[in-house]
Amino acid sequence: MKIAVIVGTRPELIKMAVLIKELKKRDLNHLFIHSGQHYDYFMDGMVMELFELPKPDHHLSVGSGSHSETTAKIMVKIEELILKEKIDLVVVHGDTNTTLATSLAACKTAAKIAHVEAGLRSYDRSMPEETNRVLVDHLSNYLFCPTEGAVENLSKEGINTGIHLVGQSIVDAVTYISQGITPVILEKHSLHSDSYLFVTCHRQENTDCNLRLNGIMEALLHLATHTPYKVVFALHPRTKKILIINNFLARLSNHQNVLVLDPPPNFQETIHLQQHAKIVLTDSGGLQEESCILGTPCITLRENTERPETVDCGANTLAGYDTKKIIQIVETTLNSPTKWKHPYGSAGISAKILDIMTGGST
Ligand code: UD1
């Protein structure tokens, strides 16, 4: 059996890195394919270096474009590769346009599809990622779910076969990089444990809507001015382009109690920054999981989440984009307990997925 792992963005690389390494370690017949959806060094090359990943066997170099353009370009190139390389099984992750395009191309050939991080639902179709995850789950032969809740979501949609509850592969990634040298990012910026709020914001629903982005940015400026906590803001390239146009980047950078990290920190530094933050504020799905695993409270800058387990266990609160609401939830969170048991399983999830796909275990 020939297996191909296809990734395209920073979070896919991070959550599939240990699986890619394990495929190589077991010397299985496989290909590592990169769509090129993310291409900046700090979104892509930096992650590859951190996990000491091999060079992809194929790089499709699709770059940025409209959703349809990116998806269509990847589909055409992946179909060609599946046929040329005689790929039997594609392994995709999560909810990106790379995930959708690969799955669509695979189902139009004889290749089977394995979806890692199956069953997540925000039930918010205004997110491009929600459409991607629903469609990919309905096309997949193997559905690797991180939690019981994800299994239940699939069952509600009539998907009852091929499901395996394995845990969340981010646990493998966090475990892997935690064994490396401790990053010096805190010392570099004179930050101390519990003295700052760590912030990320990159979702299209927030960056491409003035009302939402302004609400979030005004909240950050208020918190930097009126609380003793420094605001440490890791800047995504999409957000940077927009914050330059609306002048928020200058206001944030010139504020003495705001630290803008541009380029954004690497994954290991991001984990370290989350671990030592007082609170994480984010619209990223990955950071909701990571902060929950690391024991740092999270405030999600969205109205919904496809990670409700983080809310249920007391690690996460949904705040949306309203300035007053964000500030009020920060105040509540500062006075709340920070003990919970995370729902994502223990390390060894990537190995479990490979065992199942290669018939080693069920
Ligand atoms: C994508 C995923 C999202 C994931 C996120 C992580 C989809 C639909 N969404 O969103 O699930 O959480 O990756 O970052 O696939 N850009 C650069 N350099 C890069 C990459 C992007 O400058 O290396 C800029 C470009 O202006 C691009 C924009 O960011 O148009 C958006 O990139 P895109 O990959 O479309 O979506 P993300 O918002 O990164």
Side-chain angles (χ1 to χ4, degrees), residues 93-279:
H93 177 275
D95 54 22
T96 72
N97 291 334
T98 298
T99 318
L100 175 66
T102 302
S103 307
L104 285 170
C107 83
K108 294 191 181 293
T109 67
K112 290 200 159 37
I113 304 163
H115 187 202
V116 179
E117 199 176 273
L120 270 61
R121 295 290 182 272
S122 65
Y123 298 103
D124 176 2
R125 286 292 178 98
S126 70
M127 297 175 72
E129 289 82 6
E130 180 71 358
T131 307
N132 292 350
R133 18 177 120 92
V134 172
L135 293 175
V136 174
D137 281 338
H138 282 264
L139 298 174
S140 294
N141 305 89
Y142 293 93
L143 298 107
F144 294 111
C145 295
T147 61
E148 285 281 1
V151 175
E152 280 162 29
N153 291 339
L154 293 176
S155 167
K156 278 186 228 157
E157 291 174 21
I159 305 175
N160 294 304
T161 53
I163 297 171
H164 303 272
L165 175 60
V166 290
Q168 173 50 271
S169 66
I170 191 67
V171 175
D172 286 349
V174 171
T175 307
Y176 179 85
I177 59 100
S178 301
Q179 290 157 0
I181 320 154
T182 308
V184 293
I185 186 130
L186 261 65
E187 290 86 333
K188 187 173 159 196
H189 295 289
S190 306
L191 295 169
H192 306 286
S193 282
D194 292 335
S195 71
Y196 61 92
L197 312 173
F198 183 63
V199 185
T200 78
C201 176
H202 78 280
R203 292 231 94 85
Q204 182 180 311
E205 316 82 84
N206 282 334
T207 58
D208 294 9
C209 168
N210 281 340
L211 178 72
R212 299 179 72 97
L213 195 62
N214 291 357
I216 293 167
M217 293 304 134
E218 290 297 355
L220 298 183
L221 287 163
H222 178 98
L223 291 166
T225 309
H226 298 286
T227 74
Y229 300 102
K230 198 168 194 120
V231 170
V232 177
F233 186 27
L235 200 56
H236 186 285
R238 169 205 282 283
T239 317
K240 180 177 178 179
K241 284 174 195 162
I242 295 160
L243 291 184
I244 289 172
I245 297 167
N246 63 19
N247 204 37
F248 266 112
L249 190 56
R251 285 179 67 195
L252 288 163
S253 304
N254 292 334
H255 195 295
Q256 58 174 12
N257 210 24
V258 177
L259 171 66
V260 177
L261 297 175
D262 174 28
N266 72 24
F267 176 62
Q268 192 184 35
E269 293 166 335
T270 304
I271 291 296
H272 198 60
L273 282 161
Q274 288 183 79
Q275 195 163 18
H276 292 277
K278 189 74 184 165
I279 301 174

